[in-house]
């Protein structure tokens, strides 16, 4: 697993490609990307998905306690965090302190910035926000089927969460 690809990693250099290149090139590695529009530029998402393949990219939120809440002051462990414009930073610095993104926003990011073909974008977004992370954690990913557990999130036509089901029961 390549955690938070690009973030807190040595940058790619033409003479020393570094960890990003090594992780993307290794077919055994699933690479995590925080695609919240703050941590990574959309072009990096596209390049990595193309290079590694959509089956090796797992979108993650890196969410802290301020996820989905209004701007303001929060805590990340012992650190004071200021959220302004939805961006969490260690108070008084420019250092990003996690993310305020939710997984449905990662899904929308993948739809918006993924392949131009809408069907392919949808399939890749589903894979990268559910199947790939579950597979990387060793969970069963057989999908929806008769008699299956039915843990799922229902989205509307704008990819906003409208319902959550656990074991087939709405919660």
């Amino acid at each position: 697993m390549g955690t938070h690809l690009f973030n807190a990693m040595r940058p790619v250099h033409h003479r020393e490609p570094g960890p990003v290149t090594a992780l993307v090139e290794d077919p055994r590695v699933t690479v995590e990307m925080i695609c919240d529009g703050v941590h990574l530029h959309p072009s990096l998402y596209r390049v990595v998905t193309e290079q590694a393949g959509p089956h090796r990219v797992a979108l993650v939120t890196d969410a802290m306690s301020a996820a989905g809440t209004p701007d303001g002051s929060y805590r990340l462990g012992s650190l004071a965090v200021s959220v302004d414009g939805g961006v969490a930073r260690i108070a008084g610095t420019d250092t990003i302190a996690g993310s305020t993104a939710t997984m449905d926003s990662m899904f929308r990011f993948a739809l918006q910035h993924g392949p131009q073909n809408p069907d392919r974008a949808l399939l890749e977004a589903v894979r990268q926000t559910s199947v790939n992370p579950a597979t990387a954690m060793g969970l069963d990913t057989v999908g929806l089927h008769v008699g299956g557990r039915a843990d799922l999130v229902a989205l509307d036509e704008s990819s906003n969460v409208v319902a959550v089901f656990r074991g087939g029961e709405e919660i």
Side-chain angles (χ1 to χ4, degrees), residues 70-81:
D71 289 353
S73 297
Y74 296 89
R75 307 248 359 129
L76 180 59
S78 63
L79 299 173
V81 173

Side-chain angles (χ1 to χ4, degrees), residues 35-37 42 45 59 68 100-115 121-122 124-126 128-129 153-162:
C35 292
D36 60 359
Y45 164 69
L59 302 186
T100 62
T102 54
M103 189 52 77
D104 57 315
S105 68
M106 298 292 114
F107 186 85
R108 286 189 297 276
F109 182 99
L111 287 177
Q112 181 179 4
H113 300 291
L122 179 61
E124 288 185 13
V126 167
Q128 294 171 350
T129 58
V153 176
L155 305 173
D156 64 15
E157 60 279 349
S158 298
S159 300
N160 294 304
V161 176
V162 293

Side-chain angles (χ1 to χ4, degrees), residues 6-166:
F6 293 100
N7 298 111
M9 291 184 180
R10 192 165 35 110
V12 175
H13 184 274
H14 64 285
R15 290 192 190 102
E16 290 184 41
V20 170
T21 303
L23 292 166
V24 170
E25 285 188 334
D26 191 330
R28 301 168 300 170
V29 177
T30 297
V31 292
E32 290 181 351
M33 299 180 75
I34 308 167
C35 292
D36 60 359
V38 175
H39 284 78
L40 294 175
H41 190 277
S43 64
L44 289 175
Y45 164 69
R46 289 188 294 272
V47 166
V48 170
T49 298
E50 184 67 30
Q51 284 294 295
H55 63 288
R56 290 189 38 229
V57 173
L59 302 186
V60 296
T61 65
D62 194 36
M64 56 160 307
S65 63
T69 64
D71 289 353
S73 297
Y74 296 89
R75 307 248 359 129
L76 180 59
S78 63
L79 299 173
V81 173
S82 177
V83 177
D84 184 27
V87 180
R89 299 187 188 281
I90 297 174
T93 75
D94 289 331
T95 304
I96 296 173
S99 171
T100 62
T102 54
M103 189 52 77
D104 57 315
S105 68
M106 298 292 114
F107 186 85
R108 286 189 297 276
F109 182 99
L111 287 177
Q112 181 179 4
H113 300 291
Q116 290 184 356
N117 177 301
D119 291 337
R120 185 171 162 214
L122 179 61
L123 290 173
E124 288 185 13
V126 167
R127 172 177 285 286
Q128 294 171 350
T129 58
S130 62
V131 176
N132 294 353
T135 300
M137 293 188 317
L139 300 175
D140 182 20
T141 59
V142 294
L144 291 175
H145 61 280
V146 175
R149 183 164 161 79
D151 291 339
L152 56 100
V153 176
L155 305 173
D156 64 15
E157 60 279 349
S158 298
S159 300
N160 294 304
V161 176
V162 293
V164 176
F165 295 84
R166 181 173 46 205

